[in-house]
Amino acid sequence: MELQLKGSVIVLTLNSTNNGVTSGWEEGKYYSEEAEVDRRDPGRDYELYKYTCQELQRLMAEIQDLKSRGGKDAAVEIEDRRIQSCVHFMILKKLNRLAHIRLKKGRDQTHEAKQKVDAYHLQLQNLLYEVMHLQKEITKCLEFKSKHEEIDLVSLEEFYKEAPPDISKAEVTMGDPHQQTLARLDWELEQRKRLAEKYRECLSNKEKILKEIEVKKEYLSSLQPRLNSIMQASLPVQEYLFMPFDQAHKQYETARHLPPPLYVLFVQTTAYGQACAHMKSSQPPRQDKTLSVAIEGSVDEAKALFKPPEDSQDDESDSDAEEEQTTKRRRPTLGVQLDDKRKEMLKRHPLSVMLDLKCKDDSVLHLTFYYLMNLNIMTVKAKVTTATELITPISAGDLLSPDSVLSCLYPGDHGKKTPNPANQYQFDKVGILTLRDYVLDLGHPYLWVQKLGGLHFPKEQPQHTVIADHSLSASHMETTMKLLKTRVQSRLALHKQFASLEHGIVPVTSDCQYLFPAKVVSRLVKWVSIAHEDYTELHFTKDIVEAGLAGDTNLYYMALVERGTESDACSSPSSGKGCHSQDVKYRTLLPLCSPCTHLGGIESCDSSQLSWHLIGQGFLLEPPRCCLWCCHPAPALAAKLQAAVVLNPGYSSIPPVFQLCLNWKGEKTNNNDDNIRAMESEVNVCYKELCGPRPSHQLLTNQLQRLCVLLDVYLETESHDDSVEGPKEFPQEKMCLRLFRGPSRMKPFKYNHPQGFFSHR
């Protein structure tokens, strides 16, 4: 490359040598850049590009330097360098064009190579397809089976041993597989002819035997009327001996039409009742009086389920008329069709098993077991009846409710969803979200109900058909019956206790009196049931909810214990008798005796002798001496203790859980008062001390009574402010060895019997 300056024009000469040929602008009349690209070296073009860029940078720097100095000859030098810069720009443009030409040629070459590869690939695919087709044809030929291959021929050893020589032809068939197969087929034909002859002989013998059987049947049928008359004559004897064989026979005849799960339940409960009766008596087996089993429903409908549909000849003749009628009628909508499918899906068997379980207090638990044929599960409906009519308290509404009386008989078994995993796929087809919406009509599908029917549904491998197992039912029968009796007895005991609690009375039996001091001032003023949502919204029950102890199957109640009301204030400290006046105003006025005389102590005074004095800041200004004997000191505001109770369905084997909130001088919970936490521990953790005699039905009332005692101890041991004049708000009546202990000033809540004092744990 050479640069020459001629006047004001720069002449650029590009020299390129390729195979000894020199090319330039001056050597050829025709110029082609595409031809030049083939002759030029891309590496040298790249070096030329870098050199040109460096020259441009240098020229620009010199022009800037000349402009900054501003001399007279600077304009000429600047113009000279500007021309040189333009020449360099022209070089860059030429290099750019050459680069684009190279790129285009590279793409064309790549496209040509790609087309060749595609053509080769297409040829390969065609060859592979032909190979696959040939392989399929070969496989078909190899897998061809003749009809004789389906015949189970005798083995070769047996064939050569039993077949006659004229059929076996050992000298020919031993070396020829085709002839060997033909010979074996001939022998098979000969054997079948012999068996057919033998079959005809057996048929003739069968006809003779059938005739003999018919004769014997006629003889036995003549005995049936005689046996029936004998059974009718023995009915009075059966009733007298409590051995109803006739009734049991009818039950067993009906039980033949039960579905397998209900049949297993009927057989096992009947056997369990007979076993219990035999244990109570040494006489022959009979049915237990506390457990009765019966079958209800239509036997004809049950028989119709197993009859095949009869084909009538008139169906074809009447089909045209039916089609005309159906075309005139309006087709059912999609919603009606889904409803019909749901009803068919949830259809129950016509027969059901009734189980009556009688308790010691003559209360009866009526259980009705059903079988859902399409879902292959069992359900149960429960009802409790008592010997005497019960007055139902408001808070006991859910105790004997059929929907919840058997809930969680076993832990976690609430009976709200189907135990069969395969049912969910059936529900999806008919638009059923969950079985919970239908349990009131169908009954509850508890897991223990399935086990009593011998049904077991594995969760790992769901199955459509589950066979009823007698051993599974027998293994759970005794435990379940005991749990059912315990559940009914505990619910009836709670039912009676709630009637007293709603009237503010905490019933404590004589067996549990020793657990509490003789005098308890705090009293229960309110006992109501609350909803699960209301319980979770209480601010002081947050710990129980977060611990997962507040499930929707539990029962929830709210108790209110008070001390410091007007009735407490009118109680005499010495004798316990109240004043005659009922118009005492605690916060502004106090009745005082004016002419009252005191001779060794006055129990009470007449209301006509009372005069009224103003109270300053809640205390008497100058109370007479005799007032201290006839009236209680100025009472304090009532201390109210709220107790939110979680009652598990498994009460009393699972104790209730109490959460406390005391409203007195502010709001106190287990979060801001350690003594409230200690009170909860006394009731919830130390509940075994309050169980009483088995079966511990008095646990709830004993916990409430313990709560009243704990409130008394909490208020009576509260420290008195010496800066305030007057008596203590709650005088100490409980004997305590030590009022406080530790830096948290814990109070003595443990009651020691028979000493009668309170101490720390």
Side-chain angles (χ1 to χ4, degrees):
M1 180 185 66
E2 297 179 1
L3 292 176
Q4 298 178 2
L5 181 61
K6 296 180 179 181
S8 60
V9 179
I10 296 177
V11 178
L12 174 63
T13 302
L14 295 175
N15 297 326
S16 176
T17 303
N18 187 9
N19 296 328
V21 180
T22 303
S23 63
W25 285 359
E26 70 281 359
E27 291 186 2
K29 298 180 180 180
Y30 175 75
Y31 173 72
S32 175
E33 288 186 344
E34 294 182 357
E36 186 179 358
V37 166
D38 297 334
R39 298 191 298 270
R40 294 177 65 89
D41 184 13
R44 297 185 63 183
D45 287 348
Y46 177 68
E47 295 295 333
L48 177 60
Y49 166 76
K50 291 197 297 183
Y51 172 76
T52 305
C53 292
Q54 292 175 359
E55 289 296 319
L56 278 174
Q57 291 178 354
R58 182 182 61 78
L59 291 172
M60 293 300 172
E62 292 177 357
I63 291 172
Q64 185 179 4
D65 186 28
L66 291 173
K67 285 184 177 182
S68 61
R69 286 185 292 180
K72 293 181 180 181
D73 299 333
V76 178
E77 295 180 0
I78 289 173
E79 182 65 20
D80 185 18
R81 285 168 174 76
R82 184 183 65 81
I83 293 172
Q84 294 179 13
S85 300
C86 291
V87 173
H88 287 299
F89 275 118
M90 291 173 63
I91 295 172
L92 289 177
K93 286 183 179 181
K94 180 178 179 62
L95 294 175
N96 183 43
R97 289 194 303 274
L98 295 176
H100 280 287
I101 292 171
R102 287 193 184 96
L103 178 61
K104 182 177 180 300
K105 286 188 176 183
R107 287 178 178 174
D108 293 341
Q109 293 173 358
T110 304
H111 182 66
E112 291 176 0
K114 185 178 179 182
Q115 284 182 339
K116 291 181 181 180
V117 172
D118 291 341
Y120 292 147
H121 184 264
L122 182 59
Q123 292 177 5
L124 176 62
Q125 293 296 327
N126 292 334
L127 293 175
L128 290 176
Y129 178 77
E130 291 180 5
V131 170
M132 183 176 64
H133 177 69
L134 293 175
Q135 287 178 348
K136 287 184 179 179
E137 293 298 325
I138 294 172
T139 305
K140 287 181 181 179
C141 295
L142 293 176
E143 293 179 352
F144 175 77
K145 291 185 179 180
S146 178
K147 287 292 183 180
H148 76 278
E149 294 181 0
E150 299 177 0
I151 302 175
D152 189 11
L153 300 176
V154 297
S155 62
L156 289 174
E157 294 80 3
E158 186 178 355
F159 168 69
Y160 286 111
K161 182 179 179 181
E162 297 180 357
D166 58 337
I167 294 179
S168 62
K169 299 177 182 179
E171 65 278 358
V172 178
T173 58
M174 291 292 287
D176 190 354
H178 177 65
Q179 293 296 330
Q180 187 184 67
T181 303
L182 292 177
R184 293 175 67 187
L185 290 173
D186 292 339
W187 174 240
E188 182 71 20
L189 178 61
E190 185 67 25
Q191 283 184 321
R192 292 196 178 192
K193 288 180 180 180
R194 295 176 185 177
L195 292 175
E197 184 64 27
K198 190 175 181 180
Y199 172 72
R200 285 190 291 270
E201 293 177 0
C202 293
L203 283 179
S204 61
N205 294 333
K206 178 182 176 183
E207 292 177 357
K208 294 178 182 179
I209 295 172
L210 286 176
K211 290 179 181 179
E212 295 177 0
I213 292 174
E214 288 296 331
V215 174
K216 293 181 180 179
K217 278 186 177 180
E218 292 178 0
Y219 173 74
L220 292 175
S221 61
S222 63
L223 292 178
Q224 185 63 35
R226 299 178 184 179
L227 294 176
N228 290 336
S229 60
I230 294 174
M231 291 294 295
Q232 290 293 331
S234 65
L235 286 178
V237 180
Q238 295 179 24
E239 295 177 359
Y240 179 77
L241 297 177
F242 299 102
M243 301 171 67
F245 294 112
D246 186 59
Q247 183 180 359
H249 178 71
K250 292 180 180 178
Q251 287 283 345
Y252 285 121
E253 285 294 326
T254 307
R256 292 172 52 192
H257 305 286
L258 287 172
L262 290 182
Y263 180 78
V264 170
L265 173 67
F266 174 78
V267 172
Q268 293 299 329
T269 50
T270 304
Y272 177 74
Q274 292 176 356
C276 293
H278 182 65
M279 291 174 62
K280 297 176 183 177
S281 175
S282 60
Q283 297 180 1
R286 61 183 68 182
Q287 190 65 28
D288 188 9
K289 294 182 179 180
T290 62
L291 178 64
S292 61
V293 188
I295 301 175
E296 289 190 353
S298 174
V299 180
D300 296 335
E301 294 182 8
K303 292 180 180 179
L305 292 176
F306 297 97
K307 287 184 179 180
E310 297 180 357
D311 298 331
S312 61
Q313 298 178 355
D314 298 335
D315 290 344
E316 296 181 359
S317 60
D318 296 340
S319 60
D320 297 336
E322 291 179 358
E323 288 180 2
E324 292 179 0
Q325 292 179 0
T326 53
T327 52
K328 293 179 181 179
R329 295 176 184 172
R330 191 174 181 181
R331 292 185 177 180
T333 60
L334 182 60
V336 176
Q337 293 177 358
L338 279 179
D339 290 339
D340 294 339
K341 290 181 180 179
R342 292 191 191 105
K343 291 179 181 178
E344 182 64 24
M345 180 72 67
L346 303 175
K347 188 177 180 180
R348 296 188 300 206
H349 194 273
L351 296 179
S352 60
V353 177
M354 288 283 298
L355 179 64
D356 293 341
L357 196 62
K358 190 175 182 180
C359 301
K360 294 181 179 179
D361 55 354
D362 292 337
S363 59
V364 182
L365 174 62
H366 305 278
L367 300 176
T368 306
F369 295 89
Y370 302 98
Y371 177 67
L372 305 184
M373 297 180 291
N374 294 320
L375 300 182
N376 192 27
I377 60 175
M378 291 176 58
T379 60
V380 65
K381 284 187 177 182
K383 182 182 178 182
V384 179
T385 58
T386 56
T388 58
E389 186 177 358
L390 295 177
I391 300 176
T392 304
I394 299 176
S395 58
D398 294 335
L399 287 179
L400 300 179
S401 171
D403 188 40
S404 61
V405 67
L406 298 181
S407 178
C408 296
L409 189 67
Y410 288 89
D413 190 7
H414 50 75
K416 297 295 184 181
K417 61 180 182 179
T418 173
N420 190 354
N423 293 156
Q424 191 58 46
Y425 303 101
Q426 298 173 280
F427 290 162
D428 294 340
K429 294 180 180 179
V430 296
I432 297 178
L433 297 178
T434 176
L435 194 63
R436 182 189 295 264
D437 303 331
Y438 302 92
V439 293
L440 292 179
D441 297 330
L442 302 177
H444 292 266
Y446 297 110
L447 289 176
W448 59 267
V449 175
Q450 318 306 319
K451 292 179 180 178
L452 290 184
L455 296 177
H456 175 63
F457 301 99
K459 296 182 178 180
E460 293 80 7
Q461 297 179 352
Q463 301 176 0
H464 257 295
T465 57
V466 178
I467 302 175
D469 186 7
H470 283 269
S471 60
L472 178 64
S473 175
S475 62
H476 289 80
M477 182 63 66
E478 184 176 3
T479 304
T480 304
M481 292 302 161
K482 291 181 180 179
L483 288 175
L484 289 172
K485 288 184 179 181
T486 304
R487 173 62 61 88
V488 174
Q489 292 173 357
S490 63
R491 290 298 175 93
L492 290 175
L494 286 174
H495 195 278
K496 296 177 182 178
Q497 293 170 10
F498 284 4
S500 300
L501 294 178
E502 287 187 358
H503 291 83
I505 301 173
V506 182
V508 180
T509 60
S510 58
D511 298 332
C512 302
Q513 289 287 350
Y514 70 94
L515 297 173
F516 313 102
K519 184 177 181 181
V520 180
V521 182
S522 299
R523 60 190 182 91
L524 178 70
V525 297
K526 187 177 181 181
W527 174 263
V528 294
S529 62
I530 59 176
H532 175 242
E533 294 77 10
D534 298 335
Y535 181 88
T536 55
E537 292 177 358
L538 296 173
H539 64 280
F540 58 92
T541 61
K542 184 178 179 182
D543 297 338
I544 298 297
V545 175
E546 292 178 351
L549 300 177
D552 55 356
T553 58
N554 297 330
L555 302 176
Y556 299 92
Y557 301 92
M558 179 66 74
L560 181 61
V561 180
E562 285 189 3
R563 178 172 178 178
T565 57
E566 297 183 5
S567 58
D568 295 337
C570 289
S571 176
S572 173
S574 59
S575 63
K577 298 180 180 179
C579 298
H580 297 297
S581 175
Q582 299 297 330
D583 298 329
V584 181
K585 305 297 181 182
Y586 289 141
R587 300 183 182 180
T588 56
L589 301 174
L590 183 70
L592 301 175
C593 303
S594 51
C596 185
T597 58
H598 172 61
L599 296 173
I602 298 177
E603 291 185 353
S604 62
C605 59
D606 188 27
S607 61
S608 61
Q609 299 176 349
L610 298 179
S611 62
W612 301 97
H613 294 264
L614 292 176
I615 299 178
Q617 301 298 329
F619 297 96
L620 292 174
L621 295 178
E622 293 181 357
R625 182 178 180 84
C626 63
C627 178
L628 300 177
W629 293 93
C630 65
C631 293
H632 198 278
L637 297 178
K640 299 182 179 181
L641 178 64
Q642 295 181 357
V645 185
V646 180
L647 190 65
N648 192 281
Y651 176 87
S652 59
S653 59
I654 301 177
V657 180
F658 286 72
Q659 284 291 103
L660 306 179
C661 177
L662 177 61
N663 292 310
W664 181 65
K665 295 183 179 179
E667 188 176 79
K668 301 177 181 180
T669 62
N670 57 5
N671 294 325
N672 55 17
D673 194 334
D674 293 334
N675 285 299
I676 297 296
R677 185 182 296 107
M679 292 170 65
E680 292 178 352
S681 176
E682 287 289 329
V683 179
N684 296 330
V685 179
C686 305
Y687 70 92
K688 292 184 179 179
E689 302 175 359
L690 307 174
C691 288
R694 296 182 66 86
S696 307
H697 290 159
Q698 296 293 325
L699 175 59
L700 177 63
T701 55
N702 289 345
Q703 285 178 310
L704 290 172
Q705 186 71 0
R706 170 67 66 88
L707 207 58
C708 296
V709 175
L710 295 177
L711 181 59
D712 284 346
V713 174
Y714 184 95
L715 297 175
E716 293 175 10
T717 56
E718 191 69 17
S719 58
H720 180 61
D721 190 359
D722 297 334
S723 62
V724 180
E725 297 181 357
K728 286 185 64 176
E729 294 177 283
F730 299 100
Q732 183 176 348
E733 299 178 355
K734 307 293 187 296
M735 184 172 61
C736 304
L737 294 182
R738 186 179 178 183
L739 295 182
F740 304 103
R741 186 179 69 179
S744 58
R745 299 182 65 80
M746 301 300 295
K747 300 183 179 184
F749 291 122
K750 180 183 178 182
Y751 178 67
N752 296 271
H753 175 80
Q755 293 83 2
F757 62 86
F758 289 83
S759 62
H760 294 85
R761 286 194 181 271

